[in-house]
Amino acid sequence: MRCIVVDDDELSRSVIEDLINETDSLELIKSCEDAVEAFKVIKEEHIDLVFLDIEMPKMDGLEMLRTLSPLPQVILVTAHEKYAVESYEYDVTDFLHKPISLARFMKAVDKAYNRFENNRADITSQDKTIFIKADSRLVQINTEDILYIEALGNYMRIFTTGEQKYTILSTMKDIISKLSSDDFVRVHRSFIVRLDKIKTIEDNYIVINNKQINIGKAYKDDLTQKLNLL
């Protein structure tokens, strides 16, 4: 799970960072000194889990919970138990009291991982549409609206007309198996494109909706075979 730490205390951040780095199921993306910085990271990156302190300057943790939507999973980390009851109004995954023991940390992470697995993005196809499971809801996408799909590590980002984009936990293999081979082609280890959305092909890249997508050597022949050349 991709996670961030949000705590204004350097020592506390360091402790949690060390615990994260020793946990195989976690990947530390950023360690933030305040909620304002964390807010920006969450908007720019796909984050699955936030280790969040409550009492911080500028914006406290509870204010961040009230403000941010959609909200990743949150494990609150604080020295003040008085916040426990209020925090659960925001459906936080767990509440850790400082100082944190390894056993209690792993219990909280296991709880978060179980939620994460239950909410994994799933893709099902039905004629000209696909359903993706993301953020605990099913979203129907018309495949004719898909421009291209980009791989981002363990995630896939689907770009559609109208500048919509959806980030899901999936693989290239899973997605391309659900799409029509007549309409879609893999052109790079990180990109699948819809053939009728290609505007131009220049040298070794494709242009779709002003986006330049490189063509990988291993995929060039397959692309050429699928083009309706005159």
Side-chain angles (χ1 to χ4, degrees):
M1 292 178 289
R2 292 163 59 88
C3 62
I4 62 172
V5 178
V6 191
D7 197 320
D8 62 320
D9 183 77
E10 184 177 356
L11 179 59
S12 295
R13 288 200 312 274
S14 179
V15 169
I16 300 171
E17 289 166 14
D18 289 343
L19 290 169
I20 289 171
N21 290 330
E22 293 176 5
T23 306
D24 292 339
S25 61
L26 299 178
E27 177 187 2
L28 181 61
I29 302 302
K30 183 75 173 179
S31 188
C32 305
E33 296 183 0
D34 57 61
V36 175
E37 181 185 6
F39 198 98
K40 182 179 180 181
V41 173
I42 293 171
K43 288 297 184 181
E44 294 178 351
E45 299 276 354
H46 187 92
I47 302 299
D48 301 307
L49 178 62
V50 180
F51 291 91
L52 178 64
D53 186 27
I54 293 180
E55 292 191 341
M56 294 182 292
K58 298 182 183 178
M59 177 189 291
D60 66 38
L62 293 179
E63 186 178 357
M64 181 176 171
L65 290 177
R66 289 191 291 267
T67 305
L68 189 61
S69 180
L71 189 69
Q73 286 197 71
V74 173
I75 294 177
L76 286 176
V77 185
T78 180
H80 305 282
E81 292 185 354
K82 63 183 180 180
Y83 295 113
V85 174
E86 183 179 357
S87 69
Y88 281 105
E89 294 179 8
Y90 302 98
D91 193 31
V92 300
T93 300
D94 210 340
F95 186 98
L96 294 179
H97 185 256
K98 298 178 182 178
I100 307 167
S101 69
L102 175 60
R104 187 64 185 86
F105 177 85
M106 293 307 302
K107 183 177 180 180
V109 170
D110 284 345
K111 188 184 294 187
Y113 188 75
N114 287 335
R115 277 194 176 191
F116 175 75
E117 284 293 297
N118 290 334
N119 291 329
R120 282 178 68 94
D122 191 17
I123 306 169
T124 57
S125 61
Q126 181 177 348
D127 297 326
K128 292 294 183 179
T129 65
I130 60 171
F131 285 86
I132 61 170
K133 184 181 178 184
D135 298 326
S136 301
R137 62 194 178 103
L138 285 173
V139 179
Q140 182 175 216
I141 300 175
N142 191 324
T143 59
E144 293 181 354
D145 293 334
I146 295 175
L147 300 171
Y148 59 90
I149 301 167
E150 181 181 8
L152 301 167
N154 294 326
Y155 295 83
M156 305 294 294
R157 184 166 290 170
I158 302 172
F159 293 82
T160 66
T161 56
E163 298 185 350
Q164 294 289 320
K165 59 185 178 183
Y166 306 88
T167 302
I168 61 173
L169 180 64
S170 187
T171 65
M172 278 282 190
K173 183 178 179 180
D174 287 341
I175 286 189
I176 205 160
S177 69
K178 304 293 184 180
L179 299 172
S180 168
S181 60
D182 293 331
D183 297 322
F184 292 89
V185 61
R186 189 171 180 178
V187 298
H188 188 273
R189 61 186 179 88
S190 299
F191 285 96
I192 298 168
V193 303
R194 184 173 172 95
L195 287 164
D196 62 6
K197 293 296 192 295
I198 297 174
K199 183 178 180 181
T200 60
I201 300 176
E202 306 172 24
D203 297 325
N204 290 314
Y205 64 86
I206 289 168
V207 177
I208 295 180
N209 200 34
N210 296 321
K211 166 74 173 179
Q212 291 187 1
I213 299 172
N214 290 332
I215 303 170
K217 290 182 180 180
Y219 306 95
K220 195 167 187 178
D221 288 345
D222 192 29
L223 172 62
T224 302
Q225 290 176 8
K226 292 189 175 184
L227 295 176
N228 189 15
L229 297 174
L230 291 178

